[in-house]
Amino acid sequence: MEEAVRSLLPLTPNITKLSLRNYSSSVNDSSEPDYRVGLLLEVDRDSSAPRFCKRLEELDLSGGDVPDELLAELMEFRKSTLKRIIRENPGMAHVEELPFEVLSTIFALLFGILKEQHKHPADSYAFELLQVLLVCTRWNSVASKTPSLWTLAHVGTDQGSVARASRTVARSGNLPLDINFQSLRDDVSDFDCAVATLKVLSPHASRWRSLSLPCFVPTLVESISSLGLPNLVDLVLVPRSARDASAEYSYNVIRIRAPNLQTLLSQCPSGVFFGLKRPRLKSLEAREVSGSDYWLWVLFGAGQDTLQELVIRAEGRRLSLAEHSPFVDHNGKETSHKRLSALRTLEVAGGSFLDWRCIWFAEMPSLKHLIIEVGAFPDVNAEADSLPPFETLESISITKKTSFSMRAAVRFLLARTPNITKLSLKDYSLPVDDGGKPDWRVSVLLEEELDSSTPLFCKRLEELDLSGGGIPRSVLGELMDFREPVIKRVLGLNPGPKPSSS
């Protein structure tokens, strides 16, 4: 294109920016001068000034490989006007010019984002980086030398499990480790590779930060019970598959030596004990429990000042917290009263029935959010009358899945929660089209004070969810008008799918 460019430049005497990119030139071709530089070095016949583009301020010569000495000569020749020369090397992508430290930081940040997208650190997020790490040899090399990318040990029953664990230990430096056994299935009879992998990881037990442990592999449970896990902060106990949910578990008790544990998610009916050094949990989620499980009350006692989030679920059966053992504090001493001073969120779910003690089995002076999923609540009785006002509560969510009437119980509860701003009353037992029959939830929220036209319940209510059933728009409009100007949002036009009872 040399002749074409030579013909065009005399016709554009006033340009200040010029881009002549030539990606057909060889990057390492130093045998022939670059025609673009030759043109721009040509001298006017009547002076020593440039022949073309006398006002040129910015020049882009990307493509090829213009030697530095030629660029210096060009800058010197045009120094009166030229301010900048851009030279992009097409033989190397921009990211390849980044130093090791920068690439390593980028990979570490990406890995951190993937980890944040999972609720539990033991979830398998490592494989999501494969597409990035397999881009080229250099990226793979940088990733292999970035310890934060190798903190997850994903244990399986395959032959490569031991090798993966060895790489994790070798490449992770001294960083904390996340140990994940969740890929194990209870329809597999050969766990030899998983046991061999555990032997590789056991010498580094002091570095374990999180653990996902299946309850149905006795050899693993025994081996881990003998380990000291001083820095473990997250523990997930994985159940059998749904197909074998009713099968008898191999272990009735799981023992873990983790005195500094902060988060426990137990999806198994097995009891969990931590020896004399009981952890002071911040978050506890226990499924497949009855409410009277001794190990639960031991953890309640140890976490009286630290437990912030508590989830108790008795799937398919009655949940009762009325009869229980006393709290036992962090030092193993029984306490004179039961108090969870830091608890902010309480979620209880019973497949069939809850009693009132489920929401007030201990003092909870900081409770902000109450979540209830239930088939039926008991009648308002003497036990209910002993409940104090829940003045600290900001939100209540109640999900009802059976036709059992809960109107009286809900009225009773709302009368004791005067300061809530968010209320969710989901009733999936209601038909979508009930032929105009009044919705019990709406009628409760439309009740007025005797001496005024103000709402009887939830005077500070700002957000309301009435999902389930089919409430007409006109009724929702009436509810909005009645609760103005405080109410801001009402959901309930679209009942959505009925959830499963599991």
Side-chain angles (χ1 to χ4, degrees):
M1 289 183 62
E2 180 176 352
E3 292 303 321
V5 174
R6 180 182 292 276
S7 301
L8 181 63
L9 292 183
L11 303 177
T12 56
N14 297 318
I15 62 173
T16 58
K17 293 183 179 182
L18 175 63
S19 176
L20 294 175
R21 299 182 180 185
N22 184 10
Y23 292 108
S24 64
S25 300
S26 173
V27 174
N28 298 314
D29 187 5
S30 58
S31 59
E32 295 184 7
D34 192 300
Y35 82 89
R36 301 168 295 176
V37 177
L39 286 175
L40 296 172
L41 283 174
E42 288 189 20
V43 182
D44 193 287
R45 292 180 180 181
D46 301 324
S47 68
S48 59
R51 180 179 178 183
F52 308 115
C53 313
K54 292 181 173 60
R55 300 181 180 181
L56 191 63
E57 297 179 3
E58 184 171 310
L59 175 63
D60 186 348
L61 296 179
S62 296
D65 190 9
V66 183
D68 290 339
E69 56 270 20
L70 270 182
L71 291 178
E73 181 182 351
L74 187 58
M75 284 291 293
E76 177 65 25
F77 178 58
R78 291 180 170 270
K79 64 182 180 181
S80 61
T81 61
L82 190 60
K83 300 176 181 178
R84 184 185 182 202
I85 294 180
I86 301 172
R87 180 182 57 168
E88 175 185 318
N89 186 348
M92 183 178 291
H94 288 303
V95 72
E96 283 299 317
E97 298 178 0
L98 296 176
F100 174 94
E101 294 79 9
V102 175
L103 265 183
S104 179
T105 301
I106 291 174
F107 292 157
L109 289 173
L110 174 61
F111 195 60
I113 292 172
L114 291 175
K115 289 168 66 176
E116 291 174 1
Q117 293 174 352
H118 294 75
K119 182 176 181 181
H120 299 290
D123 286 348
S124 174
Y125 42 72
F127 298 130
E128 299 177 62
L129 281 175
L130 277 179
Q131 290 184 335
V132 174
L133 303 184
L134 295 179
V135 167
C136 62
T137 302
R138 182 169 183 253
W139 283 28
N140 192 293
S141 176
V142 171
S144 299
K145 298 174 184 177
T146 303
S148 61
L149 303 185
W150 300 95
T151 58
L152 173 65
H154 193 273
V155 182
T157 57
D158 59 292
Q159 294 295 325
S161 183
V162 174
R164 288 196 303 271
S166 299
R167 284 195 297 270
T168 294
V169 170
R171 296 178 178 179
S172 59
N174 292 317
L175 294 180
L177 299 176
D178 299 313
I179 313 300
N180 187 345
F181 287 89
Q182 280 189 276
S183 65
L184 303 184
R185 306 189 314 274
D186 55 1
D187 59 352
V188 175
S189 58
D190 186 1
F191 293 101
D192 289 347
C193 289
V195 172
T197 304
L198 179 59
K199 291 181 179 179
V200 173
L201 298 170
S202 293
H204 307 274
S206 62
R207 293 170 52 197
W208 291 15
R209 170 178 53 194
S210 68
L211 170 63
S212 172
L213 177 64
C215 305
F216 50 83
V217 186
T219 307
L220 292 178
V221 174
E222 283 183 4
S223 299
I224 291 176
S225 296
S226 65
L227 298 177
L229 303 172
N231 295 308
L232 192 73
V233 294
D234 294 285
L235 174 61
V236 179
L237 297 177
V238 184
R240 288 181 179 273
S241 65
R243 177 180 55 81
D244 287 336
S246 61
E248 183 178 351
Y249 277 72
S250 301
Y251 268 71
N252 293 322
V253 174
I254 296 176
R255 301 186 184 278
I256 300 289
R257 295 163 59 191
N260 296 308
L261 195 70
Q262 296 182 12
T263 301
L264 170 61
L265 167 57
S266 176
Q267 303 176 14
C268 308
S270 307
V272 188
F273 290 92
F274 296 89
L276 295 178
K277 294 184 179 180
R278 301 177 178 92
R280 306 180 70 183
L281 296 177
K282 292 183 178 180
S283 176
L284 170 60
E285 180 172 348
R287 305 180 188 177
E288 299 291 340
V289 295
S290 65
S292 59
D293 313 76
Y294 176 74
W295 65 274
L296 273 182
W297 296 93
V298 170
L299 292 179
F300 292 163
Q304 288 186 90
D305 301 324
T306 59
L307 193 61
Q308 299 175 16
E309 181 180 7
L310 175 60
V311 180
I312 306 175
R313 304 185 69 89
E315 305 291 355
R317 53 180 168 171
R318 176 171 179 161
L319 176 62
S320 176
L321 296 170
E323 297 179 2
H324 48 74
S325 302
F327 277 13
V328 179
D329 66 16
H330 186 62
N331 297 314
K333 297 181 179 180
E334 292 188 1
T335 59
S336 57
H337 65 278
K338 302 172 182 64
R339 180 182 176 90
L340 297 174
S341 59
L343 193 67
R344 296 178 61 84
T345 301
L346 173 63
E347 178 178 344
V348 291
S352 58
F353 191 83
L354 292 178
D355 59 43
W356 288 107
R357 295 294 297 177
C358 290
I359 60 174
W360 194 253
F361 57 89
E363 294 181 31
M364 306 172 195
S366 302
L367 191 64
K368 301 292 184 183
H369 311 287
L370 177 61
I371 303 165
I372 302 171
E373 183 178 325
V374 63
F377 247 125
D379 295 331
V380 178
N381 50 26
E383 183 181 65
D385 289 335
S386 66
L387 266 65
F390 291 80
E391 295 183 350
T392 60
L393 270 183
E394 297 176 358
S395 70
I396 297 178
S397 174
I398 299 176
T399 301
K400 176 175 174 285
K401 298 180 291 185
T402 70
S403 59
F404 186 89
S405 176
M406 286 182 59
R407 177 188 173 94
V410 169
R411 289 183 80 258
F412 173 81
L413 186 58
L414 294 184
R416 279 168 165 71
T417 55
N419 298 317
I420 62 171
T421 58
K422 293 183 179 181
L423 174 63
S424 175
L425 294 176
K426 300 178 181 179
D427 189 347
Y428 292 102
S429 68
L430 294 174
V432 174
D433 184 3
D434 59 2
K437 183 179 179 181
D439 189 295
W440 67 271
R441 301 167 295 175
V442 175
S443 62
V444 168
L445 295 171
L446 284 174
E447 292 188 42
E448 300 179 2
E449 291 274 11
L450 291 176
D451 300 327
S452 69
S453 58
T454 59
L456 179 60
F457 305 114
C458 313
K459 293 181 174 61
R460 301 182 181 181
L461 192 62
E462 297 178 3
E463 186 171 319
L464 176 63
D465 187 349
L466 298 177
S467 298
I471 304 174
R473 287 180 180 271
S474 59
V475 175
L476 290 178
E478 179 185 358
L479 187 58
M480 287 286 289
D481 292 340
F482 176 63
R483 290 187 164 270
E484 285 185 344
V486 180
I487 194 76
K488 298 177 180 178
R489 186 183 185 201
V490 176
L491 304 176
L493 288 175
N494 183 5
K498 183 177 180 179
S500 64
S501 59
S502 62

